[in-house]
Amino acid sequence: MSTLEPTHSFDEPLPEIRSGLRGASSALVCLDFDGTLAPIVKDPDAATITPENREAVADLASSPAITTAVVSGRGLADVRDRLSLPITYAGNHGLELFRAGAGETAVHPIASKRAPLVEEVCAALERALAPVPNVEIENKRLTGTVHVRSVPRPLRETVRRTTRSVVDRIGGGDLETSPGKRIVEISPSVPWGKGDAVSLLEESCLGDPFVLYLGDDVTDESAFRAIEPEGLGIHVGTERASIASCHVDSPADVTSLLEWLASHGVDELTGGVSARTPAPPAASSD
């Protein structure tokens, strides 16, 4: 692994990171996938983590004082296959959790119960949106995503409106929609998101870890809210405003940040406390 000096937008969060690490004995580093570890591409199936980021995540995960997790809107199996690293994964915006080292997967019980509704909605949208060029409906079992990145701009609002209508008709209040970066997310109406998943991971770490979260999309805002001001949210990209305290421009800057953490960040910690394996999401009643 090469050691890089801070460059470009990586300069901005470095003082905050150093300050946070110096007051902690361990760290929790949570990373979104698309737009953070992997560049955004037109075809979601073609998204690939950069080799540099994969190496950096692997190096970071080798430290016993740092818990490394990928928190993604992708399905759990999908995001695990794209990294194939022995770390913690939260898929479907935290509704699925694979615990590093334990070999177990926890699924939010209400999300599991409503998976057939998601399947029905996705099938209905395939029919309703068939005339729209380049629209893609992705069934992730617990959630769904309608991709409009390649849809002609004049038709994107029609896709969003149709998606909301179909979800309201079939979901009957059990499902909801939310906006994302050129997507519409379909999910169970439960009070659980990326911020809840990150809070769960934080509570499961030994001591009082310094928490970092890096993400680029609207769904990452709940994680920024959950960890700040004690932790540090870092928005990736330059396209929109964010409540995160800091930002970096691109996945290439994420590489620099992760490489610095792996090579120098551990030295900033006050002790080398290993992290516990996180517990599964708490069950809630419907």
Side-chain angles (χ1 to χ4, degrees):
M1 181 189 72
S2 63
T3 300
L4 300 182
E5 291 298 322
T7 58
H8 306 299
S9 63
F10 176 44
D11 287 331
E12 180 189 326
L14 188 57
E16 297 286 347
I17 295 172
R18 280 179 164 152
S19 176
L21 290 173
R22 286 169 185 160
S25 58
S26 65
L28 170 62
V29 179
C30 298
L31 305 155
D32 183 27
F33 183 78
D34 294 276
T36 300
L37 294 175
I40 294 292
V41 292
K42 287 187 177 181
D43 180 5
D45 290 335
T48 304
I49 185 173
T50 64
E52 296 82 5
N53 271 338
R54 191 183 190 285
E55 181 181 357
V57 171
D59 286 339
L60 194 63
S62 67
S63 170
I66 298 179
T67 297
T68 307
V70 170
V71 183
S72 175
R74 288 181 179 268
L76 181 63
D78 183 1
V79 72
R80 284 186 63 196
D81 286 347
R82 291 174 191 274
L83 277 85
S84 298
L85 292 172
I87 60 176
T88 294
Y89 297 90
N92 272 307
H93 307 289
L95 294 173
E96 300 174 285
L97 181 65
F98 177 80
R99 301 184 293 171
E104 298 176 0
T105 300
V107 181
H108 194 292
I110 295 179
S112 181
K113 178 181 177 181
R114 295 180 185 174
L117 278 179
V118 173
E119 182 175 4
E120 186 179 350
V121 163
C122 289
L125 286 171
E126 290 281 3
R127 296 189 296 270
L129 297 174
V132 179
N134 304 323
V135 68
E136 181 176 345
I137 294 92
E138 182 184 7
N139 180 2
K140 299 178 291 186
R141 196 174 74 84
L142 300 181
T143 68
T145 302
V146 179
H147 298 269
V148 300
R149 179 172 295 275
S150 299
V151 171
R153 288 184 180 275
L155 297 178
R156 290 179 184 176
E157 184 52 38
T158 298
V159 171
R160 296 184 180 99
R161 187 167 54 249
T162 300
T163 300
R164 292 191 294 266
S165 176
V166 170
V167 169
D168 289 345
R169 174 169 56 84
I170 295 175
D174 287 338
L175 300 179
E176 62 185 11
T177 61
S178 56
K181 187 183 289 185
R182 296 181 179 85
I183 58 174
V184 181
E185 295 282 7
I186 303 161
S187 58
S189 300
V190 294
W192 193 266
K194 287 185 175 183
D196 300 284
V198 173
S199 294
L200 177 66
L201 295 175
E202 181 180 4
E203 292 169 4
S204 303
C205 291
L206 289 177
D208 186 18
F210 176 61
V211 185
L212 277 170
Y213 186 96
L214 286 81
D216 75 305
D217 210 344
V218 175
T219 55
D220 298 306
E221 297 296 310
S222 69
F224 298 145
R225 284 193 295 270
I227 68 169
E228 291 196 343
E230 291 82 5
L232 182 65
I234 302 175
H235 176 251
V236 182
T238 59
E239 291 186 2
R240 65 176 185 83
S242 171
I243 64 170
S245 294
C246 297
H247 96 284
V248 294
D249 289 342
S250 69
D253 286 314
V254 172
T255 302
S256 297
L257 189 153
L258 296 180
E259 288 187 339
W260 183 88
L261 281 171
S263 60
H264 301 296
V266 175
D267 296 336
E268 302 280 351
L269 293 168
T270 58
V273 179
S274 298
R276 289 194 311 234
T277 298
S284 54
S285 58
D286 196 357

